Amino acid sequence: PELRAKAETYVARLGIAQLFLRPSLLQKHVSRLSSASNDFALEQLHTEVVSSLSESQPWLTVDPSAVSEQIPVLLPDFTWAILLRAFLHCKRLDLAERLWDDMTRFGVQPSMDTWTALLDGYAELRMADRSLVVWDMLRKQKVLPSIMAYRALIFGLFKARRVDQAIQRFHEFRQ
């Protein structure tokens, strides 16, 4: 039984490692899970990532310079954005917030894709106030918003029927 448990863990980790080594496969897998609203499987994937990064002898790293024979798999930066989008698509704000906290804990700086994923998710959920809080956080960190981030914010404001604010942000974008 002990050997069987180790083998099952090893096989599961190989499957996850394969996802991270093939970005298109990861995107398709997570997209399928979120389309089916399979937040349980998404949460399991997230839990496996966090536990793998937290182990005393990890097999996964967020630091490209740490990849070695002992730690053979790099967790790509875009993984956080993919999972964040999926959690928000499934309306699991608790998991999205936990993911953001885990990013911070592991020293991952949010990429523009991650910020945009958060803004897109809040836009879809018509959470304009949260979108504006995220926007303020982004700006306070002196991050230059991308065109897609502006699009997500403006779309979210329009979707929440805050037309004046959306137009104001559009004019800000044009400048």
Side-chain angles (χ1 to χ4, degrees):
E2 187 178 315
L3 180 59
R4 181 181 180 160
K6 282 184 178 182
E8 287 173 354
T9 300
Y10 184 75
V11 169
R13 287 182 175 175
L14 279 174
I16 292 170
Q18 182 182 20
L19 289 174
F20 296 137
L21 294 171
R22 298 178 61 202
S24 62
L25 189 61
L26 174 66
Q27 178 64 50
K28 286 177 188 173
H29 178 69
V30 171
S31 181
R32 247 184 268 120
L33 293 176
S34 72
S35 293
S37 294
N38 192 345
D39 56 332
F40 179 74
L42 289 166
E43 183 176 14
Q44 282 184 311
L45 179 61
H46 174 238
T47 300
E48 183 62 35
V49 166
V50 169
S51 67
S52 298
L53 290 170
S54 303
E55 290 179 0
S56 60
Q57 294 181 333
W59 58 272
L60 185 64
T61 182
V62 294
D63 179 8
S65 66
V67 174
S68 65
E69 284 186 28
Q70 291 76 30
I71 307 174
V73 181
L74 175 66
L75 181 68
D77 285 343
F78 59 80
T79 304
W80 303 101
I82 289 171
L83 287 171
L84 189 58
R85 259 191 194 90
F87 287 150
L88 291 168
H89 180 77
C90 292
K91 299 178 180 150
R92 291 296 307 269
L93 298 176
D94 60 321
L95 295 176
E97 289 170 2
R98 189 177 340 150
L99 178 111
W100 195 271
D101 292 343
D102 290 335
M103 281 177 44
T104 304
R105 182 165 49 115
F106 293 114
V108 176
Q109 291 294 328
S111 67
M112 186 49 61
D113 285 342
T114 311
W115 287 109
T116 303
L118 193 56
L119 290 166
D120 275 332
Y122 287 153
E124 284 298 323
L125 297 172
R126 295 183 180 181
M127 301 179 83
D129 289 334
R130 282 203 182 191
S131 292
L132 292 169
V133 167
V134 167
W135 190 261
D136 288 342
M137 285 175 30
L138 182 146
R139 300 301 292 192
K140 283 179 185 168
Q141 292 186 12
K142 301 198 187 315
V143 175
L144 182 64
S146 68
I147 293 169
M148 296 306 288
Y150 267 104
R151 181 215 40 86
L153 178 65
I154 293 167
F155 173 71
L157 291 169
F158 271 119
K159 194 165 183 175
R161 301 184 191 279
R162 292 166 87 165
V163 176
D164 291 341
Q165 286 180 307
I167 291 171
Q168 176 188 359
R169 296 301 175 152
F170 176 71
H171 289 303
E172 178 185 306
F173 164 71
R174 283 183 43 190
Q175 291 177 358

